[in-house]
Amino acid sequence: VTLSYQIGQEFSTDTLSITSKDFDWKYGDVDSKNLLGTIKSLDLLNAISLDCREIEEKNITVHDESLHCQYGLISRSGWSVVDDSDTYVLNPKSGWWDQGQNADEVDLYMFAHGHAYKSAIQDFVEISGKTAMVPRAASGLWWTRWFNLNTQDLENIVEEYKSHALPLDVFVLDMDWHKKNEWGGYTWDPNLFPYPNDSMNNLLKGKYNLVTVANIHDDNGVGNYEAQFNAMAKAMGIDPSSTDNIPFQFCNNETYTMALEDEVLKPVEDSGMDYWWIDWQQGGTQGGCAGLKQNPTIWTDKIRVTDPIRRDNQNKRGMVLARWGGLGSHRYQVGFSGDVAVVNWTNLAYQPYFSSTATNVAYGFWSHDIVGPNSGGGLDFELYTRWIQWGAFSGVFRSHDRGMSGG
């Protein structure tokens, strides 16, 4: 590979070029043969083009957030360019997002691997960080449903799996586990789980040896109805009697973020919750985020996957179930592709394609809802069977009955 640049000149087609036996490239060239990458999720979307230029031209957004579309790191052109000019810089000591935006006017990464596609992905991982090894159970069977389950329901579900000689490895509680003051919450619903330690540590984890995960929506902040509100306020230097809510400020307030993780979420984890299903769908600029490459999706993913490292817990592997927040999200597995818009053959056929292109940006573990009929009925037994078969071959097998809504 030969790089040519006229020193002291602005980048242009005449001043910056790369040649190799596989291709000739000039600054500004459009990669028309890219093998595509992935987007934030499939929420509210049916089968969609993954061509980022098309998505940008049509201004397709979901939940007031960019789709964070990323082209693949591999291309039939023999080259791929990643423009990192508008990314945000981490503090090398603390790992916090407090260094502002990239100061370089132009910051490009060229993957000039020809058609050695695996080498391109390998080199990307070398410079951007490896995919963390998730717990072994994540490669097994997951169960979840949006429903008001109680402790007896949990036992009945696991026992039904056992009665059919079906393995079960991960039990996921959807959003009904917590109090219902707001859409989100961080406190056990006492009507369903009056003794959460018995339900989680003694039953699901102790008796059945399952990994546990719970759904959270962070956008509401921390209200005074939360069990750990006073502890959260104290950690932030706030008089608890002076406010009824501590607003969500996850991107621009390290004190808030660490207090949320350690004062609010850690007690729930201690009661038996292993990991979090971050169901972020409230926009790309909340919590002090600038938007686009600095967004709540990738930042909540990053913080919660790395919590065990920050706490020096060497016996726990980091994991979340969460949407893609942009290039680099491969470090924070596993992916949640969102609610299936319509349960039909077209969307089933699209999921394997969607999963395969995501590997072109090193994102190899999408977890798709394995769903039954639409809420309106019309159960297609063959469609459901084929969806289960696809789940067996996908990166993560997670059954998710549609429960209390289209999700």
Side-chain angles (χ1 to χ4, degrees):
V1 175
T2 301
L3 184 149
S4 301
Y5 170 58
Q6 295 182 19
I7 297 175
Q9 302 298 310
E10 290 188 2
F11 290 165
S12 71
T13 57
D14 297 322
T15 63
L16 180 62
S17 62
I18 296 177
T19 60
S20 80
K21 64 182 181 62
D22 295 305
F23 65 86
D24 294 305
W25 173 88
K26 292 183 178 180
Y27 178 78
D29 280 355
V30 175
D31 181 7
S32 60
K33 298 179 180 180
N34 192 274
L35 292 172
L36 306 179
T38 198
I39 56 176
K40 179 170 73 82
S41 71
L42 295 176
D43 293 287
L44 306 180
L45 302 170
N46 292 297
I48 181 178
S49 169
L50 295 176
D51 188 316
C52 298
R53 281 183 290 275
E54 183 177 335
I55 289 175
E56 184 176 353
E57 289 170 359
K58 293 181 178 179
N59 192 29
I60 301 175
T61 61
V62 173
H63 301 142
D64 296 321
E65 185 171 357
S66 161
L67 295 185
H68 309 306
C69 185
Q70 177 65 48
Y71 279 113
L73 303 165
I74 59 178
S75 170
R76 285 188 291 267
S77 300
W79 58 268
S80 177
V81 172
V82 172
D83 188 347
D84 209 34
S85 306
D86 57 350
T87 196
Y88 287 76
V89 183
L90 298 180
N91 187 310
K93 293 183 178 180
S94 68
W96 188 253
W97 226 343
D98 60 1
Q99 303 297 293
Q101 203 164 12
N102 190 346
D104 295 330
E105 186 174 342
V106 180
D107 188 359
L108 304 179
Y109 290 82
M110 162 67 80
F111 293 88
H113 292 72
H115 302 294
Y117 298 148
K118 290 183 179 180
S119 296
I121 301 297
Q122 183 176 5
D123 283 351
F124 167 73
V125 170
E126 284 296 321
I127 63 173
S128 64
K130 295 182 179 181
T131 300
M133 182 179 288
V134 296
R136 182 181 182 183
S139 298
L141 270 66
W142 298 46
W143 186 96
T144 185
R145 186 186 186 192
W146 184 9
F147 203 77
N148 276 317
L149 303 171
N150 58 29
T151 302
Q152 186 60 57
D153 294 325
L154 307 186
E155 187 166 22
N156 292 343
I157 291 165
V158 180
E159 286 295 332
E160 185 171 3
Y161 267 77
K162 291 179 64 178
S163 72
H164 293 287
L166 290 172
L168 185 62
D169 302 278
V170 181
F171 201 104
V172 186
L173 294 177
D174 210 323
M175 57 184 290
D176 293 287
W177 71 273
H178 60 69
K179 295 171 69 173
K180 311 301 190 296
N181 301 72
E182 297 286 353
W183 186 251
Y186 303 113
T187 303
W188 290 99
D189 184 337
N191 298 307
L192 299 175
F193 299 104
Y195 307 106
N197 185 69
D198 287 343
S199 304
M200 298 294 112
N201 275 325
N202 295 339
L203 181 66
L204 291 184
K205 294 169 62 65
K207 181 178 179 179
Y208 295 118
N209 196 32
L210 299 176
V211 167
T212 55
V213 181
N215 176 290
I216 51 174
H217 298 84
D218 290 289
D219 187 49
N220 301 118
V222 181
N224 60 3
Y225 47 83
E226 302 287 6
Q228 299 301 317
F229 175 77
N230 287 349
M232 177 75 178
K234 181 180 179 180
M236 294 192 66
I238 298 173
D239 179 358
S241 64
S242 67
T243 182
D244 59 3
N245 180 270
I246 303 173
F248 179 68
Q249 41 196 303
F250 207 83
C251 286
N252 64 347
N253 191 328
E254 185 175 5
T255 300
Y256 173 94
T257 301
M258 296 303 106
L260 178 64
E261 299 303 295
D262 296 339
E263 302 296 337
V264 179
L265 293 184
K266 185 63 164 55
V268 182
E269 295 169 12
D270 291 342
S271 69
M273 194 58 64
D274 291 316
Y275 299 105
W276 298 106
W277 169 10
I278 306 171
D279 202 357
W280 181 264
Q281 49 186 318
Q282 282 76 39
T285 59
Q286 273 74 355
C289 290
L292 298 179
K293 290 187 178 180
Q294 190 189 67
N295 61 78
T297 300
I298 195 169
W299 198 239
T300 51
D301 294 356
K302 186 260 186 188
I303 293 296
R304 285 168 186 156
V305 165
T306 58
D307 269 343
I309 299 174
R310 182 178 58 82
R311 294 169 180 162
D312 196 28
N313 185 348
Q314 300 180 19
N315 296 318
K316 183 177 183 179
R317 296 176 183 173
M319 184 178 74
V320 290
L321 177 63
R323 294 169 175 84
W324 153 277
L327 193 63
S329 293
H330 68 284
R331 299 185 295 261
Y332 318 125
Q333 296 288 342
V334 298
F336 167 54
S337 66
D339 297 333
V340 179
V342 180
V343 180
N344 58 28
W345 288 97
T346 300
N347 284 337
L348 170 58
Y350 182 74
Q351 285 188 358
Y353 166 76
F354 182 78
S355 295
S356 64
T357 62
T359 63
N360 298 339
V361 287
Y363 202 71
F365 296 96
W366 272 119
S367 171
H368 302 292
D369 288 356
I370 299 173
V371 290
N374 284 310
S375 55
L379 176 60
D380 184 332
F381 289 103
E382 183 177 358
L383 175 60
Y384 187 37
T385 301
R386 298 302 183 190
W387 221 300
I388 292 173
Q389 288 177 325
W390 152 235
F393 287 96
S394 64
V396 177
F397 187 108
R398 180 177 54 84
S399 63
H400 183 65
D401 187 89
R402 299 184 79 81
M404 296 174 65
S405 81

